[in-house]
Amino acid sequence: MESKGTTETNSQTDNKITRAQFTTKLGVIATTVGSAVGLGNIWRFPYETGTHGGGAFLICYIFFIFVIGIPVICAEFIMGRGTRSNIFGAFRKLAPGRKWYFAGYIGILASLMILSFYSVVAGWTIEYLIQSVSGSLALANPEDYHTKFDEFSTGNVRPVLWTLVFLLFNFLILRRGVTKGIEKMSNIMMPLLFLLLLVFCINSLLMPKAQEGLYFLFHPDFSEIDSSVLLGAMGQAFFSLSLGLGCMATYASYFSKKTKLIKSAGITASLDTTVALLAGIIIFPAVFTFNMSPAAGPTLVFEVLPSIFHHLPGGAVWSSLFFFLLFLASLTSTISMSEISIAFFTEEKKMSRRSATILNTAIGCVFGTLCALSFGALSDFKIFGLTAFNLFDYVSSNILLPFGGMLISIFVGWFVDRKFIKTQLSNDHKVKVRLMTLIVFCLRFVAPTGIILVFLNSIGII
Ligand code: TRP
């Protein structure tokens, strides 16, 4: 056990700071994985894969995780633990007097946008949890689940109510602070969710059309790779790894000096990708078995999963347990994205933690309501042809996150002192670093060019 709240001196910034710290090794992994694993893996990954043609999307997604995702996690870890600051402060400490900290504003803006639409989907999990417990989720036909979801999501009361209830839970945990609120919950919840997914996976593999589903997911048709597949896969990689806006940097600022950064980045990325794959293996065999369309969009899992549970013995128990864990997994993710703006408000704007948490929640409530209503009363209110929900999702995931990630990789790759990087990766020369050259190479060249090429490609320039 490492003690929390130790005082450390940092080599480049050279100031003494007392901050909260995660208390155990498991805590570090469980919280970063807790941030990464969430609706992004279980709700967003299957629907993005489904709308972008299956295997082709998966291949691009995995490619981006390795060549851009892992190096950028390392960059965020270096910035966060090295400065023990929020993302905004990290840029300022590492490049004093320069305008780099503006990149921090992107993080704060994007994190609030994501919080808004994410809370809506998390609210859906509350509705489905209640319905599972009350037994009203058992319906005769797969099509009935489509109608049911439609009726619920186009309503104007329950979707908004659950969004606000979810934000209240988020608020209550955030108020308790980093180590107490976040770490304890992640330690128990993450392993349990993983086990449950394994059980569902086996169940799906035994379905009549399992092969068709697996073929869709794992067989890449390279001719389908176009600009929207590339942009979608890159956005999904950033979204799923909680990257690009300083979320991982903020968490890393609570790491102890003994946390091995590269190893933690590798474990986080592998577990996160495994959970996404498990979700795919659960969903697609069922989609084909029940003759549903893989390209249903954001509603996909809320129609497919209940059908799966319905066919399991003791279905109501499984589905209650699942939606409860999904609700918790969403909470560990929203806590992490809220922590970006809360750390900014408290450390840069000198607000109390309480006021900062209230402000973060209030913004979430206003924009969350807007997103919740974009399936009902506000479904005709469109900007650039997209509803508020879709606009927030698209702009934050496909534009702001990769753009933020590009700035972070250029910053760490080109502007941060090599010695500082080395000190961080080697825990002050106490552990060997083998991959430093490769990581710095990816940060300098591969990640920024990759991101720019995908951007240019999607606006039709190449
Ligand atoms: N990665 C989380 C998920 O997959 C969502 C998330 C949490 C996130 N924190 C973030 C996304 C920061 C982008 C940035 O559900």
Side-chain angles (χ1 to χ4, degrees):
M1 289 272 222
E2 292 151 14
S3 66
K4 82 178 162 196
T6 41
T7 307
E8 282 183 32
T9 311
N10 172 284
S11 52
Q12 179 158 347
T13 58
D14 206 34
N15 28 348
K16 287 198 164 180
I17 325 130
T18 308
R19 287 184 109 227
Q21 276 187 22
F22 293 136
T23 44
T24 60
K25 267 191 204 157
L26 175 66
V28 167
I29 293 300
T31 39
T32 43
V33 175
S35 163
V37 171
L39 293 169
N41 309 60
I42 290 161
W43 159 74
R44 203 174 185 282
F45 171 77
Y47 103 64
E48 283 280 322
T49 308
T51 47
H52 287 112
F57 180 87
L58 181 65
I59 280 274
C60 299
Y61 170 70
I62 291 182
F63 175 77
F64 288 128
I65 292 275
F66 277 98
V67 301
I68 301 182
I70 294 179
V72 178
I73 309 187
C74 291
E76 287 209 16
F77 280 179
I78 292 167
M79 288 181 72
R81 200 204 28 201
T83 61
R84 297 242 175 262
S85 284
N86 63 84
I87 183 69
F88 191 88
F91 274 117
R92 264 222 323 243
K93 284 184 184 168
L94 291 171
R98 310 283 289 274
K99 294 269 184 283
W100 274 102
Y101 61 83
F102 269 96
Y105 286 124
I106 300 181
I108 290 151
L109 174 74
S111 68
L112 291 168
M113 283 173 92
I114 296 175
L115 179 68
S116 307
F117 76 83
Y118 203 95
S119 303
V120 175
V121 184
W124 297 348
T125 66
I126 301 183
E127 167 78 14
Y128 273 60
L129 171 60
I130 294 173
Q131 298 223 10
S132 307
V133 174
S134 69
S136 48
L137 205 58
L139 301 175
N141 299 310
E143 306 88 70
D144 297 342
Y145 287 105
H146 176 73
T147 321
K148 186 178 189 77
F149 186 81
D150 221 38
E151 273 168 14
F152 157 66
S153 63
T154 52
N156 293 325
V157 181
R158 279 178 9 238
V160 176
L161 177 70
W162 299 139
T163 304
L164 300 180
V165 167
F166 178 80
L167 283 163
L168 179 69
F169 277 104
N170 190 49
F171 171 78
L172 293 175
I173 296 177
L174 279 165
R175 237 187 30 180
R176 301 185 64 200
V178 186
T179 46
K180 271 194 238 114
I182 304 170
E183 188 179 341
K184 301 257 156 39
M185 189 169 89
S186 304
N187 281 352
I188 307 168
M189 203 278 312
M190 296 313 301
L192 208 58
L193 179 66
F194 203 75
L195 270 183
L196 202 67
L197 289 175
L198 278 180
V199 174
F200 294 153
C201 222
I202 296 170
N203 172 58
S204 282
L205 289 174
L206 297 174
M207 287 184 176
K209 292 198 184 160
Q211 263 195 341
E212 260 178 71
L214 295 180
Y215 186 83
F216 177 81
L217 178 62
F218 290 112
H219 182 82
D221 174 357
F222 289 99
S223 67
E224 286 199 33
I225 300 182
D226 61 7
S227 58
S228 95
V229 171
L230 286 171
L231 187 67
M234 184 171 78
Q236 177 61 22
F238 275 96
F239 188 92
S240 196
L241 293 176
S242 309
L243 278 187
L245 32 90
C247 184
M248 287 300 179
T250 307
Y251 265 18
S253 73
Y254 307 123
F255 285 1
S256 92
K257 57 185 173 190
K258 290 188 193 147
T259 306
K260 293 179 184 146
L261 300 187
I262 301 180
K263 192 172 156 199
S264 306
I267 295 178
T268 306
S270 330
L271 288 177
D272 184 70
T273 309
T274 311
V275 173
L277 287 175
L278 288 180
I281 298 173
I282 294 169
I283 297 287
F284 290 108
V287 165
F288 287 89
T289 303
F290 302 133
N291 290 321
M292 295 167 140
S293 157
T299 58
L300 180 73
V301 274
F302 287 88
E303 292 167 17
V304 179
L305 285 172
S307 313
I308 300 180
F309 300 138
H310 183 56
H311 288 83
L312 273 175
V317 178
W318 290 112
S319 75
S320 308
L321 193 58
F322 176 79
F323 284 114
F324 178 63
L325 289 175
L326 189 55
F327 163 76
L328 292 183
S330 317
L331 259 181
T332 53
S333 296
T334 49
I335 287 163
S336 75
M337 65 186 85
S338 305
E339 197 59 33
I340 303 173
S341 50
I342 292 175
F344 168 74
F345 293 141
T346 50
E347 292 173 15
E348 301 297 322
K349 300 288 168 212
K350 305 292 172 232
M351 279 186 187
S352 66
R353 183 158 180 104
R354 194 182 141 81
S355 318
T357 315
I358 292 176
L359 182 58
N360 172 75
T361 308
I363 298 174
C365 286
V366 172
F367 290 100
T369 305
L370 201 69
C371 291
L373 290 176
S374 53
F375 293 85
L378 296 179
S379 60
D380 291 329
F381 172 71
K382 291 189 174 157
I383 306 168
F384 304 121
L386 295 172
T387 60
F389 181 98
N390 289 333
L391 184 78
F392 277 30
D393 185 357
Y394 188 88
V395 171
S396 56
S397 315
N398 289 359
I399 301 171
L400 296 178
L401 298 185
F403 187 66
M406 185 179 80
L407 294 180
I408 289 172
S409 58
I410 294 176
F411 183 70
V412 175
W414 293 93
F415 291 90
V416 172
D417 184 9
R418 279 275 185 130
K419 274 196 225 124
F420 180 76
I421 299 180
K422 177 106 197 217
T423 312
Q424 282 309 315
L425 293 181
S426 66
N427 292 351
D428 225 352
H429 309 286
K430 293 201 178 65
V431 290
K432 259 208 190 123
V433 244
R434 289 198 196 84
L435 297 171
M436 174 152 157
T437 320
L438 182 64
I439 289 171
V440 173
F441 178 77
C442 285
L443 289 175
R444 286 192 149 200
F445 304 102
V446 184
T449 5
I451 296 169
I452 291 173
L453 288 179
V454 176
F455 276 154
L456 291 180
N457 182 241
S458 66
I459 49 177
I461 293 185
I462 47 167

